[in-house]
Amino acid sequence: MRVTAERVIIPPVCLQTGRPFLNSITGVVGLRDYELMMVLSPQVDEEASAALLERIGQVITDGGGSVTRQEPWGTRRLAYPIEEFREGNYVLTHLSMEPDAIGGLDAHLKSVRDVIRYLLVKRDTKTSEEKR
């Protein structure tokens, strides 16, 4: 916390840990943009897939984040078999989330049986701002 002549400046804090987001260069980190690509089991029907995506969205919002956009890509053939599946339902999700809360999302995705693969990457801030 910094005190100036006019006001008290309190940095934002993580909802899970209660620690402030501090960056050595700019001071405050805050939310970051991420892309989450998931490959869902082809045995999951549309209703179960929608429920699964809703639960994952709930984990994101519980971690202090928000889902910006979600794009179902449909069923596609896999380059190699994963857990004896030759096809998978691809879903691309754009989200904003606090860096400390990513561990909770990662743990949830690992525990869901119907997510056979996923990749979570931090989006480049220059690319994110250009597309908005």
Side-chain angles (χ1 to χ4, degrees):
M1 177 169 58
R2 293 183 294 173
V3 179
T4 63
E6 295 95 28
R7 62 180 190 246
V8 175
I9 300 170
I10 302 173
V13 296
C14 175
L15 296 175
Q16 290 182 339
T17 64
R19 292 180 290 163
F21 290 121
L22 296 177
N23 184 326
S24 61
I25 298 170
T26 61
V28 178
V29 174
L31 297 176
R32 290 189 179 155
D33 292 331
Y34 295 93
E35 284 185 358
L36 172 64
M37 174 59 81
M38 295 177 284
V39 181
L40 307 179
S41 168
Q43 297 175 343
V44 177
D45 61 352
E46 287 186 29
E47 293 174 9
S49 176
L52 174 64
L53 295 176
E54 182 67 31
R55 280 188 309 221
I56 292 170
Q58 187 63 41
V59 169
I60 292 168
T61 55
D62 289 347
S66 63
V67 175
T68 309
R69 186 172 70 212
Q70 203 161 51
E71 301 173 21
W73 285 11
T75 303
R76 295 180 181 219
R77 184 169 171 79
L78 301 174
Y80 54 89
I82 301 174
E83 298 178 16
E84 300 182 16
F85 293 118
R86 297 234 175 238
E87 293 181 334
N89 293 320
Y90 284 73
V91 179
L92 176 64
T93 303
H94 295 265
L95 59 115
S96 297
M97 201 169 190
E98 298 171 350
D100 286 350
I102 290 297
L105 175 61
D106 189 51
H108 179 75
L109 290 170
K110 286 180 182 177
S111 68
V112 177
R113 271 188 102 181
D114 293 329
V115 177
I116 57 176
R117 278 287 191 278
Y118 70 93
L119 178 65
L120 180 66
V121 294
K122 185 177 90 168
R123 294 181 66 198
D124 185 18
T125 55
K126 292 178 184 177
T127 306
S128 299
E129 291 173 2
E130 289 173 1
K131 290 187 177 183
R132 288 184 185 176

